[in-house]
Amino acid sequence: MNYTTKQLAEITNSQLIGDENLHIKNIAFDSRNIFSVLNTFFLAINTSKNSGEKYIYSAVEKGVSVIISERQVLEIENVTWIIVEDSVKFLQDLAKYHLHKFDLKTIGITGSNGKTIVKEWLYQSLFDEFITVKSPKSFNSQIGLPISLLEINNKHQLGIFEVGISKPNEMEILEDIFPPQIGILTHIGSAHSSNFKDEEQLIDEKILLFKNSEIIIFNGDNELVVNKINDLYLSKKLISFGLKHSNNIYIKNDWKNKNEDLKIRYFDEDFSVPVQQRDEATLINVLCVIAVLKEFGFSNSKIIEKLNALKSIEMRLESVNGLRNNLIINDSFNLDLDSLKIAFQFINEYNKPLKTLIITDFVEGKNSDQLYHEVAELTNHQNFGKVFLIGNEISKFNKLFRAETYTFNNTSELIENHLFNQIENEIILLKGARKFEIERVKNHLELQKHDTVLEVNLNAILHNINVHKSLLKPETKMMAMVKAYSYGLGGYEVAEFLQHHHIDYLGVAYADEGVDLRKNGITTPIMVMNPEQHSYDIIIDFNLEPEIYSFRVLELFNQQLIRKGIQQKYPIHIKLETGMHRLGFKEDELGELIEKLNSMNVKVESIFSHLSSSDDFNEKEYTLEQIEVFKKNSEKLISGLNYTPLRHILNTSGIVNYSEYQFDMVRIGIGMAGISSNTEIKKQLQSAVSFKTVISQISEVNQGDSIGYSRKYRAESGTRIATIPVGYADGIPRLIGNKAGNVGIGGIIFPIVGNVCMDMMMIKIDDFAAKEGDEVIIFNSKPSLEEFADYCKTIPYEVLTSISRRVKRIYIKD
Ligand SMILES: *Cc1c(COP(=O)(O)O)cnc(C)c1O
């Protein structure tokens, strides 16, 4: 979309206060999620649950200059307001206007189940024939649909949108905005929101979407649907699909027999299609897609080609191989009786005799007594050996289940349960309402699938941060340094966790790292320490805050702000040189710096410097000198600005050893991993990183046998050698071979013998009772990260950042 503020006001009959010539291309609703302020308006959406007005101020602070709201809540300079009667209606009116400007074919999809799958499949089948726009994710509500429609531009030839409702009278509004030419009704489920009286009301409401459609393609397995559509829309072209043979398109042969292709009957024509997955839900959706493709005039061979190319997003039921030869079927997408039946059907296709069910409380508002009786009855038909019930509701009905039945309050309890952790050779069905996060069970069961992992314990990181915080005043802010892929621990996962725990700032080395975080939903302010010239553009677009360390950088960055027409004061951080002799402004530059800063469109968020030797008491004098210079020069700088930026100089060991110089903020890095130069503090920290693998093979060697490349080790006597699948390509330095380094098995240290290979190394374990498949610790507790760094003749920082990306990172948190 691209409208001026004046047009927006006119189209929606709203009042404009301010600049009428601003161009608007994007909408923001959530002030935490504003990545680019350029050409963006902030819409304060008021719903019965929430008011967006409270986020206006922070949107403006981030630099948004156009606010659309039901009231002008603040007097703010340089902000253009569009005052609307109803924020949701504004969006809908705009979307309606927007859609009318274009001439594209439209498909609208409604129903209880399968909307998103059908939409995605149609998109996959049609996007190379037509330039197609579709709703992102499952944006289909009173707000989601308009937002999706605003994505349409004049290149698009086809639009495929989901239309969902949750209450009566909503469809009429949506149909008014978006009357699709082709209307699709997917499966109508038995589970419906308690906002509807009954199924009939739900159907009546949904099919209103088709009021102005030319063609209606609908699931005709439900008789009520068939009758209603035939009554209401007799004059339209109607095509029904489904498993019943009364439909216009159905499957003629026994679809449960996987050895045969599906024989499709389409009106009076027959043809076969190969479809591997044979559960009812998938087949019904496939029939729907075929009906639409037929409507587009595709030949049968082309349709088959399209079906073959469909990516299996139908795998809502995901199956993964788990520990102890279990097969895990994960369906944590939603939980209702229909999806439960589908899941049961699905697991019956696997022939594993032993079956376990893990199921949680349902969250729908039906009479729970009746509901859980039905659940138990369905379950009892399936002959599960064990049933694990999670949640207080369903647990009350444990007596109804004919199986070994266990109850738990929450998912964590189950994961810790001893019995559950002993299940072997079974098919385990996970069926959970989303709020129970039952996918954690899946992660738990498949955890050790990866032989070599770097396990990051997020709780330990939080603990370590809190240990450092306890040394500080409560009001002192904290920046977490997540540069270099969070010191090798992982990209957004660590940052996301820190954001969740309200870290004040994040620090990265390069703009790319910051962009990566933003794209993964990180909205915490981010400082970029090496703002390279080519990256100024994305720094601004993604709302990142550069470290400015020289006049050259300051001027180039300012030029970019001007070029991009940035109106607000852009946040930057000034680096002072105090003794590290790396980057930063020196004392004699401060006068000129003040002048420049005051004349430019920038706001100094913070002034900082970095200590060279905060971990080394022999350099205490030098450190105190650095702090003194910082204090003096930062004060001088502040006196020249007419506001007071934050100041900070302490890194991890600075926090520990020089906490009286904490100023307004500190920057923690390696301390998060559990490393400290101070032995007292070190005792309080937890190791947050564990690099581990498993023994691939154990072999017996005789005296004189040589191990590995170049025969560097020869057995002094007969012994046992364990081979482990990590090598220098995983970031293990080759210099720790030949007994320079050790690894731990069962809490005992064993030497690495021979040269380290690219992907493997060999350990001398003598007659220690280890077996193939046992866990090997490269570092965690024994040996510790520090000990391992010593073997490598380096420091923990380098060890962590050297572990290659191919090593899978696993995150643990409660
Ligand atoms: C990396 C870094 C830190 C964090 O250092 P640690 O010793 O890991 O705490 C702090 N400040 C700056 C400028 C850094 O580059």
Side-chain angles (χ1 to χ4, degrees):
M1 99 177 154
N2 189 356
Y3 294 100
T4 62
T5 35
K6 181 170 180 205
Q7 286 170 323
L8 286 179
E10 280 174 4
I11 292 164
T12 60
N13 240 327
S14 317
Q15 185 198 356
L16 175 74
I17 307 169
D19 192 337
E20 40 177 58
N21 290 318
L22 299 175
H23 282 263
I24 297 294
K25 295 182 185 164
N26 314 304
I27 319 173
F29 309 93
D30 183 339
S31 55
R32 293 165 309 177
N33 270 327
I34 300 174
F35 301 144
S36 165
V37 294
L38 209 62
N39 305 121
T40 296
F41 70 68
F42 179 80
L43 175 60
I45 292 195
N46 280 336
T47 63
S48 54
K49 289 198 206 86
N50 201 356
S51 166
E53 287 175 7
K54 56 176 179 274
Y55 305 117
I56 292 178
Y57 189 72
S58 74
V60 172
E61 247 191 342
K62 292 210 164 157
V64 175
S65 58
V66 180
I67 302 292
I68 302 188
S69 167
E70 293 171 15
R71 298 181 302 154
Q72 188 177 2
V73 288
L74 301 159
E75 277 297 334
I76 314 172
E77 268 176 51
N78 297 327
V79 168
T80 294
W81 292 83
I82 297 177
I83 305 300
V84 301
E85 205 158 288
D86 177 325
S87 54
V88 175
K89 185 152 188 309
F90 161 84
L91 197 59
Q92 296 175 339
D93 289 346
L94 180 61
K96 178 175 176 178
Y97 174 90
H98 188 73
L99 175 66
H100 275 288
K101 290 203 313 190
F102 303 103
D103 176 29
L104 78 170
K105 213 175 176 64
T106 50
I107 301 179
I109 308 171
T110 191
S112 314
N113 305 98
K115 291 192 288 292
T116 304
I117 292 171
V118 166
K119 178 197 71 189
E120 292 296 328
W121 277 357
L122 287 176
Y123 178 78
Q124 287 176 21
S125 307
L126 293 167
F127 82 95
D128 53 359
E129 316 282 334
F130 308 96
I131 300 171
T132 305
V133 54
K134 65 171 170 118
S135 357
K137 302 182 211 152
S138 49
F139 271 37
N140 60 28
S141 62
Q142 298 284 308
I143 295 169
L145 178 67
I147 296 172
S148 308
L149 293 172
L150 288 169
E151 306 255 318
I152 300 173
N153 66 40
N154 57 15
K155 291 203 199 70
H156 291 133
Q157 299 167 315
L158 172 67
I160 312 176
F161 296 95
E162 276 180 58
V163 187
I165 54 170
S166 53
K167 289 203 290 280
N169 304 323
E170 286 189 338
M171 192 56 97
E172 201 177 343
I173 299 169
L174 296 182
E175 196 275 341
D176 179 53
I177 307 168
F178 174 62
Q181 289 152 11
I182 299 179
I184 296 178
L185 180 68
T186 61
H187 180 72
I188 294 271
S190 63
H192 53 80
S193 143
S194 46
N195 291 329
F196 293 92
K197 228 175 34 231
D198 51 21
E199 191 183 6
E200 182 168 4
Q201 191 194 20
L202 180 75
I203 294 171
D204 284 341
E205 177 80 13
K206 293 220 167 184
I207 64 177
L208 284 180
L209 176 64
F210 311 134
K211 206 161 79 186
N212 290 293
S213 301
E214 292 148 28
I215 303 164
I216 306 174
I217 298 175
F218 65 99
N219 183 328
D221 285 343
N222 181 322
E223 220 164 296
L224 207 52
V225 168
V226 177
N227 295 339
K228 296 239 168 221
I229 288 190
N230 280 316
D231 282 355
L232 203 59
Y233 296 127
L234 200 56
S235 59
K236 299 183 193 291
K237 179 164 183 185
L238 303 179
I239 302 163
S240 65
F241 63 86
L243 296 177
K244 286 192 185 165
H245 289 201
S246 51
N247 288 302
N248 301 126
I249 169 167
Y250 61 89
I251 301 164
K252 269 175 81 174
N253 57 336
D254 170 19
W255 50 263
K256 291 192 180 106
N257 177 358
K258 276 201 170 185
N259 298 325
E260 272 182 48
D261 283 353
L262 298 178
K263 297 212 162 42
I264 304 287
R265 177 81 172 185
Y266 175 77
F267 289 93
D268 42 21
E269 181 193 350
D270 289 321
F271 58 98
S272 303
V273 298
V275 172
Q276 276 315 305
Q277 192 165 339
R278 300 285 173 97
D279 61 274
E280 280 186 23
T282 302
L283 293 176
I284 291 171
N285 293 333
V286 166
L287 290 172
C288 176
V289 170
I290 296 174
V292 177
L293 296 183
K294 275 282 186 189
E295 206 40 52
F296 274 84
F298 288 8
S299 68
N300 292 341
S301 61
K302 186 128 191 185
I303 289 175
I304 291 169
E305 194 186 301
K306 298 271 179 201
L307 292 179
N308 277 332
L310 289 184
K311 297 212 193 64
S312 47
I313 48 156
E314 86 272 23
M315 291 309 260
R316 190 186 73 182
L317 290 151
E318 167 194 28
S319 58
V320 288
N321 293 316
L323 287 175
R324 297 180 293 277
N325 200 28
N326 291 311
L327 181 73
I328 304 149
I329 309 293
N330 176 30
D331 182 2
S332 39
F333 192 74
N334 63 356
L335 179 57
D336 55 36
L337 284 176
D338 281 327
S339 69
L340 189 64
K341 285 180 208 161
I342 293 168
F344 284 162
Q345 226 172 61
F346 187 82
I347 59 167
N348 282 333
E349 292 176 22
Y350 291 90
N351 43 21
K352 283 224 178 199
L354 298 174
K355 292 190 292 187
T356 287
L357 172 66
I358 296 170
I359 187 166
T360 69
D361 282 355
F362 285 46
V363 279
E364 63 182 271
K366 215 168 155 182
N367 174 329
S368 64
D369 217 50
Q370 183 197 337
L371 174 70
Y372 291 116
H373 273 89
E374 278 179 63
V375 171
E377 191 177 307
L378 278 172
T379 305
N380 290 340
H381 280 301
Q382 301 295 322
N383 298 322
F384 284 100
K386 299 187 195 71
V387 173
F388 294 88
L389 305 174
I390 306 178
N392 303 330
E393 281 295 306
I394 197 167
S395 294
K396 285 187 218 150
F397 298 88
N398 63 338
K399 295 271 174 341
L400 299 177
F401 293 86
R402 278 202 309 274
E404 276 178 56
T405 306
Y406 305 89
T407 60
F408 303 89
N409 290 316
N410 54 47
T411 303
S412 302
E413 275 183 18
L414 171 79
I415 289 176
E416 284 158 20
N417 181 269
H418 175 66
L419 212 130
F420 163 72
N421 283 302
Q422 293 194 323
I423 298 175
E424 267 182 352
N425 292 315
E426 296 204 22
I427 188 161
I428 304 177
L429 174 62
L430 304 181
K431 199 71 191 87
R434 248 183 270 189
K435 73 166 193 195
F436 285 92
E437 297 182 343
I438 202 167
E439 61 282 354
R440 282 171 47 212
V441 179
K442 183 197 93 181
N443 297 342
H444 175 76
L445 289 171
E446 68 171 347
L447 189 69
Q448 288 155 41
K449 192 176 77 185
H450 311 281
D451 287 349
T452 303
V453 296
L454 189 73
E455 202 177 272
V456 179
N457 185 331
L458 296 171
N459 297 315
I461 289 182
L462 185 62
H463 169 86
N464 296 338
I465 286 181
N466 286 332
V467 169
H468 287 87
K469 274 202 166 164
S470 70
L471 305 171
L472 301 169
K473 290 183 271 183
E475 65 270 25
T476 303
K477 291 179 189 294
M478 191 173 262
M479 176 185 284
M481 303 310 291
V482 292
K483 61 195 180 201
Y485 197 57
S486 290
Y487 288 42
L489 305 189
Y492 72 92
E493 293 91 345
V494 175
E496 186 179 52
F497 179 77
L498 296 172
Q499 166 170 291
H500 183 75
H501 290 279
H502 308 293
I503 198 85
D504 299 292
Y505 252 98
L506 295 169
V508 298
Y510 293 99
D512 289 354
E513 300 173 355
V515 170
D516 219 40
L517 297 182
R518 287 281 184 254
K519 286 187 173 163
N520 281 293
I522 305 296
T523 53
T524 303
I526 299 176
M527 180 175 88
V528 179
M529 293 191 296
N530 291 295
E532 299 165 291
Q533 197 173 333
H534 67 79
S535 67
Y536 294 165
D537 210 31
I538 59 166
I539 285 186
I540 297 167
D541 284 348
F542 285 88
N543 207 358
L544 306 172
E545 305 176 7
E547 164 184 328
I548 303 289
Y549 52 82
S550 70
F551 287 121
R552 182 182 64 86
V553 177
L554 180 62
E555 259 143 39
L556 287 169
F557 190 74
N558 188 50
Q559 281 165 21
Q560 188 67 21
L561 289 174
I562 294 169
R563 210 170 301 132
K564 291 186 76 102
I566 300 296
Q567 311 282 334
Q568 297 71 30
K569 300 257 181 209
Y570 198 89
I572 61 169
H573 300 263
I574 297 292
K575 177 76 166 282
L576 299 181
E577 161 52 37
T578 58
M580 179 89 174
H581 297 295
R582 193 166 64 173
L583 296 174
F585 290 98
K586 300 181 191 67
E587 181 165 10
D588 60 4
E589 295 175 313
L590 294 179
E592 187 183 345
L593 179 59
I594 291 169
E595 236 170 75
K596 290 229 157 86
L597 290 172
N598 285 332
S599 71
M600 290 173 175
N601 231 352
V602 294
K603 169 157 183 258
V604 180
E605 288 290 331
S606 84
I607 303 168
F608 74 109
S609 189
H610 194 41
L611 298 173
S612 72
S613 314
S614 60
D615 56 348
D616 182 355
F617 271 108
N618 295 325
E619 298 295 353
K620 185 162 183 182
E621 211 175 310
Y622 191 76
T623 304
L624 292 176
E625 257 172 58
Q626 269 200 285
I627 294 172
E628 201 43 49
V629 174
F630 176 66
K631 193 160 177 289
K632 191 169 96 209
N633 290 351
S634 60
E635 272 163 12
K636 190 159 168 191
L637 182 51
I638 291 173
S639 70
L641 303 170
N642 58 3
Y643 54 95
T644 314
L646 301 172
R647 290 190 291 168
H648 44 111
I649 192 166
L650 302 181
N651 64 340
T652 299
S653 44
I655 298 170
V656 173
N657 298 329
Y658 298 94
S659 66
E660 61 270 46
Y661 305 107
Q662 57 194 274
F663 295 94
D664 309 302
M665 183 152 77
V666 297
R667 302 185 304 269
I668 191 170
I670 198 81
M672 292 188 284
I675 299 289
S676 184
S677 55
N678 178 310
T679 44
E680 273 315 300
I681 298 293
K682 169 72 196 166
K683 277 186 216 152
Q684 297 176 39
L685 300 179
Q686 296 173 357
S687 153
V689 198
S690 169
F691 190 9
K692 56 191 189 182
T693 186
V694 293
I695 298 175
S696 314
Q697 191 177 28
I698 293 180
S699 28
E700 315 240 341
V701 298
N702 298 317
Q703 181 185 17
D705 283 354
S706 66
I707 310 295
Y709 284 117
S710 312
R711 310 190 65 192
K712 281 293 177 208
Y713 174 74
R714 288 167 204 247
E716 299 92 6
S717 57
T719 184
R720 285 159 76 235
I721 298 290
T723 303
I724 62 173
V726 264
Y728 55 78
D730 298 289
I732 306 270
R734 193 164 170 277
L735 64 79
I736 70 165
N738 300 310
K739 297 193 176 174
N742 305 289
V743 299
I745 305 172
I748 298 176
I749 294 285
F750 296 96
I752 300 164
V753 290
N755 282 327
V756 173
C757 315
M758 188 183 289
D759 313 298
M760 281 177 264
M761 53 195 194
M762 279 69 89
I763 317 297
K764 180 169 180 286
I765 59 172
D766 293 325
D767 52 5
F768 183 71
K771 51 186 196 315
E772 293 176 1
D774 279 0
E775 184 177 85
V776 178
I777 300 292
I778 297 160
F779 61 76
N780 179 26
S781 48
K782 231 174 193 289
S784 66
L785 171 54
E786 290 94 330
E787 285 165 335
F788 185 82
D790 283 344
Y791 305 151
C792 304
K793 301 197 169 12
T794 180
I795 51 176
Y797 299 76
E798 190 184 351
V799 168
L800 291 178
T801 53
S802 302
I803 297 169
S804 33
R805 292 288 183 103
R806 84 171 184 192
V807 174
K808 174 145 175 97
R809 271 72 173 167
I810 288 179
Y811 301 90
I812 304 192
K813 69 175 170 192
D814 290 338

